Amino acid sequence: DIQMTQSPSTLSASVGDRVTITCRASQSISYWLAWWHQKKPGEAPKLLIYKASILESGVPSRFSGSGSGTEFTLTISSLQPEDFATYYCQQYNSYPITFGQGTRLEIK
Amino acid sequence: EVQLVESGGGLVQPGGSLRLSCAASGFTFSSYWMSWVRQVPGKGLEWVANIKEDGNDKYYVDSVKGRFSISRDNAKYSLHLQMNSLRAEDTAVYFCATYTGSRRGFDDWGQGTLVTVSS
C-alpha cells in the first residue's frame, strides 16, 4: 500500500500569509495526487487540485499544487479567513486509494 | 446538477449488519465508477470501496474485505454498501462519491450518513 505523509500536522498562520503543505508518498505515484479542503469533520471535502497541479474549476487562484513522483506541495499564496480548515492529500495511482493524515490550518 | 444522497446509517451492535444506499441523480449513473469513503469522527478520510460502471470490478480497503460488499443498480441509479460483522472501528460517516481515476479521482460527494457500531 502507498502511504501518504503530510507535514506539518498542524500549521498556525495569519490572514494574508503564504503557507505550504507538503505531502510525501511512500513510492512513486507520478502525478496522481489530489488535494482536498474540509471545513468540518463529517462534511464532504472540497476538491482543490487534481493531477498534482490542475486547479479545480471555481477554486481561487491563490491555491496551487506542484510536484510529481513522491513529493508534492500545496501552496496558498495569501490566506483568507475561509481557508482555515483541514487539508488532505490523496493518491489515486493505485489501489488501495489512500489519504494523508491531514494538516489542520489554524489561525495564529 | 449532480446529487448523491446517502441513507441507511444508524446505530448497530458489534457483529451486526447494515446496508447503506446512495441515490444518484443529475448524471448518467451507468457511466461512472462509484466509491464509498468514510471518516471516523474527528479523524481523517479513508477510502472504503470502488465499483466499476457495470459492476463487474470491485476494490476494497483491506480492513473491510470479506465483511463489506459494494454493489449498484444502474437501472435504479443506486449504489449500495452491505456491511456485515461490524466492528466499533467501523463507526464513521460514510460518503458515496463518483470516481474518475483518469481525471480528478473523486468528483462529486454526498452529504454522508453516520454509522455507529456500539453495544
Side-chain angles (χ1 to χ4, degrees):
Chain A
D1 297 3
I2 298 174
Q3 292 194 352
M4 306 301 293
T5 304
Q6 291 180 231
S7 60
S9 294
T10 307
L11 181 56
S12 297
S14 303
V15 172
D17 283 355
R18 178 185 180 90
V19 298
T20 297
I21 299 169
T22 298
C23 178
R24 288 188 173 87
S26 60
Q27 63 191 76
S28 178
I29 59 170
S30 185
Y31 50 75
W32 299 105
L33 183 104
W35 287 98
W36 298 89
H37 164 287
Q38 188 180 45
K39 196 65 180 173
K40 288 183 182 178
E43 291 185 352
K46 175 185 172 185
L47 180 65
L48 300 172
I49 303 282
Y50 62 98
K51 283 189 178 179
S53 62
I54 300 175
L55 192 68
E56 169 68 345
S57 177
V59 173
S61 59
R62 63 181 181 272
F63 291 93
S64 63
S66 65
S68 66
T70 62
E71 187 150 341
F72 302 85
T73 59
L74 172 71
T75 299
I76 310 172
S77 60
S78 177
L79 278 172
Q80 299 302 300
E82 59 269 28
D83 299 338
F84 293 95
T86 300
Y87 292 83
Y88 295 94
C89 63
Q90 169 242 321
Q91 69 82 17
Y92 52 113
N93 177 76
S94 61
Y95 288 108
I97 296 165
T98 46
F99 289 85
Q101 81 281 11
T103 293
R104 183 183 171 201
L105 179 54
E106 59 182 31
I107 300 173
K108 186 184 289 185
Chain B
E1 179 193 1
V2 172
Q3 279 207 319
L4 298 168
V5 180
E6 301 92 339
S7 60
L11 176 63
V12 61
Q13 291 189 337
S17 297
L18 212 54
R19 188 185 194 224
L20 304 184
S21 296
C22 172
S25 61
F27 65 105
T28 305
F29 183 72
S30 59
S31 297
Y32 284 81
W33 283 72
M34 295 296 296
S35 303
W36 288 99
V37 178
R38 67 184 178 183
Q39 186 169 36
V40 172
K43 302 293 185 182
L45 297 161
E46 180 182 42
W47 167 78
V48 174
N50 268 19
I51 186 168
K52 194 179 176 183
E53 297 97 325
D54 60 7
N56 284 340
D57 281 343
K58 304 174 184 181
Y59 297 87
Y60 300 92
V61 68
D62 280 352
S63 60
V64 309
K65 280 180 185 174
R67 300 188 301 122
F68 289 14
S69 179
I70 189 172
S71 63
R72 63 192 298 161
D73 184 335
N74 286 344
K76 294 184 178 178
Y77 272 52
S78 61
L79 175 73
H80 304 283
L81 186 68
Q82 177 66 42
M83 304 186 295
N84 299 329
S85 303
L86 281 162
R87 305 166 180 168
E89 55 265 36
D90 296 317
T91 293
V93 174
Y94 285 74
F95 299 96
C96 69
T98 57
Y99 180 76
T100 52
S102 62
R103 293 194 291 128
R104 298 149 80 215
F106 302 114
D107 295 287
D108 297 287
W109 296 59
Q111 84 290 346
T113 187
L114 177 62
V115 172
T116 303
V117 184
S118 174
S119 55

